[in-house]
């Protein structure tokens, strides 16, 4: 009996890639994952069931190892909410990927791309070599490019944008693009199409438009979201201007989606974006219940949000341009200056209860110190193009490597001992925050924290000394308030235990 086909998935730390892997495994495929940061996959249940290749997709040696023996390769490195299709980095990756696929003898490539505006949609299967999808189609390897518009699913950038605009603005004056027609698609159907595309006949090499059963204006989507979420009908006053750039800044301020990601989302809505064809259904037919409609997709997404079972989020792959340098292991490293603010506080609570507070930090739980200072720094970061404090958390109680916590990224987790966060805010240098659970010489629980900053140039040094006077309030307050929260949790646990004891 021949083994199941081997599938390579790139972009596995992203929103779609992280959800596609378990779907492929369930369909009987063997899966290999290519990840620039393999450690970010440790929190996924499917991690033990896949072969992981670590490295950069631009490295020819990494591509050779990753594509060896592969039957089907998924190119998900370029997300739907990436910038312009002509982005030089994405084009370079696509060229390298296409060339490596030919050498490796890959039998099928599947790519997910943005749905083209209706006015610009060409005949099915036409390749435009000015974008990533076109380069892959021109590689000579049978390629299926699936083009989707607004993807509705818990944690998707499109859904978060729709959700927060509708929930936070009961009355709004809006640009004209809210009247354009779009064809939203549930992430569940996107995944079903992606899995089905792996088994397309070898002679099929073309683009396919994929969408849900509903064609709506964005304005209608907002009203229907409000109805599903149990909100009053929104008052929407349209303006006779499109203003996509201004709209992207507006979205970046009102929603957790930063300007850099909001811009391509808005640009995809300024003209009608409806499926010109849905030929993929010839090979991947609708399930017995049909494709998910908009209302049902929103209902399922909200249910996942309320139950805190969001598998992946738009922030899973990181913010473009954010720092990714690992923390140097030695404070006297050769990279130059490394400023540190270190504090420690004894806590009258068990290590378990202290760790529960630490791993729940951020998002709606807050940062346990001077909320005004955190808010001001967050707004400054948003205005400068950073994530600010609006990304929140994927899970309110647990953290995994790679998770976004507001403007931080989880870099390392040692359960019951260490949470290390790397800053992705705009700053003239690299910053980390370490939160540790230890014991002092007499056996008491000790909460220790280190804030580290590697300045970049004179501006970095000036930045550190400008904010240093506030550290006593920010980091000192965090020390005290985290300890208080852990001690309160300890008392509540003891009270609950005493009530259960006869």
């Amino acid at each position: 009996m021949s083994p199941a086909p081997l599938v390579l998935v790139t972009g596995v730390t992203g929103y779609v890639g992280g959800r596609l892997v378990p779907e492929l495994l369930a369909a009987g495929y063997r899966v290999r994952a290519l990840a620039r940061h393999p450690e970010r996959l440790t929190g996924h249940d499917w991690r033990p069931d896949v072969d992981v290749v670590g490295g950069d997709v631009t490295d020819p040696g990494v591509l050779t190892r990753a594509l060896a023996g592969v039957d089907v390769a998924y190119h998900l490195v370029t997300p739907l909410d990436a910038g312009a299709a002509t982005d030089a980095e994405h084009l370079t990756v696509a060229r390298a990927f296409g060339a490596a696929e030919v050498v490796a003898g890959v039998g099928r490539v599947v790519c997910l791309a943005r749905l083209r505006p209706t006015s610009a949609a060409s005949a099915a299967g036409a390749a435009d070599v000015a974008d990533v999808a076109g380069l892959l189609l021109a590689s000579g390897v049978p390629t299926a490019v699936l083009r989707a518009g607004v993807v509705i699913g818990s944690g998707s950038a499109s859904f978060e944008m729709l959700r927060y605009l509708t929930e936070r603005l009961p009355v709004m004056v809006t640009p004209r693009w809210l009247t354009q027609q779009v064809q939203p698609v549930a992430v569940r159907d996107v995944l079903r199409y992606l899995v089905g595309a792996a088994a397309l006949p070898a002679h099929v090499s073309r683009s396919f438009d994929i969408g849900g059963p509903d064609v709506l204006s964005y304005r209608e989507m907002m009203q229907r979201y409000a109805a599903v979420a149990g909100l009053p009908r929104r008052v929407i006053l349209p303006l006779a201007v499109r203003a996509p750039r201004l709209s992207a800044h507006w979205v970046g301020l009102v929603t957790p989606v930063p300007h850099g990601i909001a811009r391509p989302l808005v640009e995809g809505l300024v003209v009608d974006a409806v499926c010109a064809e849905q030929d993929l259904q010839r090979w991947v037919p609708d399930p017995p219940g049909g494709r998910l409609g908009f209302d049902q997709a929103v209902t399922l997404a909200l249910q996942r949000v309320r139950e805190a079972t969001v598998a992946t989020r738009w922030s899973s792959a990181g913010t473009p341009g954010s720092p990714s340098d690992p923390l140097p292991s030695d404070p006297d490293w050769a990279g130059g200056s490394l400023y540190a603010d270190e504090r420690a506080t004894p806590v009258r609570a068990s290590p378990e209860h202290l760790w529960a507070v630490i791993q729940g930090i951020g998002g709606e739980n807050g940062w346990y110190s001077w909320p005004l200072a955190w808010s001001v720094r967050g707004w400054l970061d948003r205005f400068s193009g950073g994530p600010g404090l609006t990304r929140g958390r994927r899970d309110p109680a647990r953290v995994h490597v790679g998770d976004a916590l507001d403007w931080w990224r989880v870099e390392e987790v040692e359960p019951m001992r260490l949470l290390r966060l790397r800053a992705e805010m705009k700053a003239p240098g690299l910053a980390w925050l370490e939160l540790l659970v230890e014991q002092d010489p007499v056996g008491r629980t000790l909460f220790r924290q280190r804030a580290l900053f590697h300045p970049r140039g004179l501006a970095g040094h000036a930045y550190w000394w400008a904010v240093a006077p506030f550290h006593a309030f920010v980091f000192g307050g965090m020390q005290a308030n985290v300890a208080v929260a852990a001690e309160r949790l300890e008392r509540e646990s003891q009270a609950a235990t005493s009530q259960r004891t006869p």
Side-chain angles (χ1 to χ4, degrees):
M1 183 176 178
S2 59
L6 176 61
V7 172
L8 172 70
V9 181
T10 65
V12 287
T13 58
Y15 176 74
V16 173
R19 297 188 181 212
L20 178 61
V21 170
E23 297 295 326
L24 290 167
L25 290 170
Y29 290 99
R30 294 179 296 140
V31 178
R32 178 180 294 160
L34 173 56
R36 186 176 184 180
H37 300 286
E39 67 278 2
R40 294 185 181 178
L41 305 180
T42 55
H44 292 284
D45 294 338
W46 46 259
R47 172 60 182 86
D49 300 320
V50 303
D51 174 28
V52 176
V53 174
D56 198 307
V57 73
T58 60
D59 186 327
V62 170
L63 280 178
T64 298
R65 295 198 309 273
L67 290 167
V70 165
D71 299 289
V72 181
Y74 283 87
H75 187 281
L76 302 176
V77 178
T78 308
L80 291 175
D81 51 20
T86 54
D87 181 272
E89 181 179 355
H90 292 142
L91 293 177
T92 299
V93 170
R95 290 190 187 96
F97 200 76
E101 290 161 354
V102 174
V103 174
V106 174
R108 159 72 56 190
V109 177
V110 182
C111 171
L112 186 62
R114 291 169 60 191
L115 185 66
R116 293 166 296 188
T118 304
S119 58
S122 55
D128 176 5
V129 294
D131 67 5
V132 168
L135 286 171
L136 294 175
L137 284 165
S139 68
V141 176
T143 299
V145 176
L146 277 54
R147 295 188 178 274
V150 175
V151 176
I152 302 298
S154 60
S156 76
S158 294
F159 177 73
E160 294 289 281
M161 175 174 149
L162 172 68
R163 174 189 171 201
Y164 281 91
L165 285 177
T166 307
E167 292 184 354
R168 292 182 174 178
L169 300 174
V171 179
M172 65 194 89
V173 178
T174 60
R176 195 171 66 187
W177 57 262
L178 264 75
T179 64
Q180 303 297 148
Q181 298 291 295
V182 295
Q183 193 165 353
V185 58
V187 68
R188 182 176 300 186
D189 285 319
V190 172
L191 296 171
R192 182 173 56 82
Y193 282 129
L194 285 169
V195 173
L200 287 171
H203 69 273
V204 177
S205 187
R206 50 166 289 189
S207 291
F208 295 96
D209 292 350
I210 59 173
D214 301 309
V215 176
L216 306 164
S217 69
Y218 204 86
R219 183 177 183 177
E220 291 173 321
M221 289 168 56
M222 294 178 73
Q223 297 291 14
R224 287 175 65 163
Y225 175 93
V228 172
L231 302 172
R233 184 173 177 82
R234 280 16 210 165
V235 178
I236 301 175
L237 306 174
L239 293 175
V241 294
R242 296 184 188 275
R245 290 182 179 274
L246 180 61
S247 296
H249 285 286
W250 168 57
V251 169
L253 292 175
V254 175
T255 80
V257 182
H259 165 260
I261 293 176
R263 181 175 55 81
L265 294 177
V266 172
E267 288 174 350
L269 298 168
V270 296
V271 292
D272 290 344
V274 178
C275 294
E277 46 76 25
Q278 299 192 62
D279 297 345
L280 188 57
Q281 294 181 39
R282 291 169 52 191
W283 294 279
V284 188
D286 288 347
R291 290 166 291 161
L292 287 182
F294 176 80
D295 292 356
Q296 189 178 3
V298 169
T299 300
L300 290 173
L302 286 175
Q303 180 180 342
R304 295 287 185 271
V305 171
R306 290 163 182 163
E307 294 176 350
T309 55
V310 179
T312 58
R313 296 186 72 225
W314 61 269
S315 57
S316 299
T319 300
S322 62
S324 59
D325 302 51
L327 175 70
S329 58
D330 184 352
D332 297 322
W333 64 306
S337 301
L338 189 67
Y339 292 115
D341 182 285
E342 302 189 50
R343 300 170 189 268
T345 299
V347 182
R348 294 188 298 272
S350 66
E352 290 79 7
H353 289 131
L354 176 57
W355 177 251
V357 175
I358 287 175
Q359 74 166 340
I361 201 166
E364 294 184 359
N365 297 326
W367 292 91
Y368 294 92
S369 71
W370 203 7
L372 178 61
W374 284 91
S375 297
V376 169
R377 184 63 182 89
W379 277 108
L380 290 174
D381 192 51
R382 292 288 281 180
F383 277 114
S384 61
L389 291 174
T390 57
R391 292 193 303 191
R393 298 173 53 109
R394 181 176 64 88
D395 185 310
R398 294 173 295 277
V399 291
H400 302 290
V401 172
D403 279 357
L405 302 185
D406 294 320
W407 69 54
W408 303 93
R409 177 76 56 183
V410 178
E411 185 173 88
E412 186 173 350
V413 179
E414 294 181 26
M416 299 298 301
R417 181 183 174 272
L418 167 69
L419 173 62
R420 177 182 297 147
L421 308 176
R422 186 186 70 248
E424 293 186 337
M425 62 184 175
K426 299 291 184 180
L430 304 175
W432 297 267
L433 178 63
E434 288 187 336
L435 308 176
L436 299 104
V437 178
E438 296 181 348
Q439 285 190 317
D440 65 13
V442 296
R444 295 179 301 176
T445 302
L446 190 69
F447 172 39
R448 190 162 69 87
Q449 69 184 39
R450 289 201 309 165
L452 301 167
F453 184 72
H454 170 48
R456 185 170 57 246
L458 182 60
H461 292 276
Y463 173 83
W464 172 264
W465 291 111
V467 299
F470 301 101
H471 286 173
F473 300 99
V474 175
F475 297 126
M478 181 182 293
Q479 280 275 293
N481 292 327
V482 165
V484 168
E487 290 166 357
R488 181 172 60 248
L489 192 61
E490 178 89 1
R491 291 194 299 271
E492 292 172 352
S493 177
Q494 291 174 349
T497 301
S498 64
Q499 290 177 358
R500 290 194 299 267
T501 303

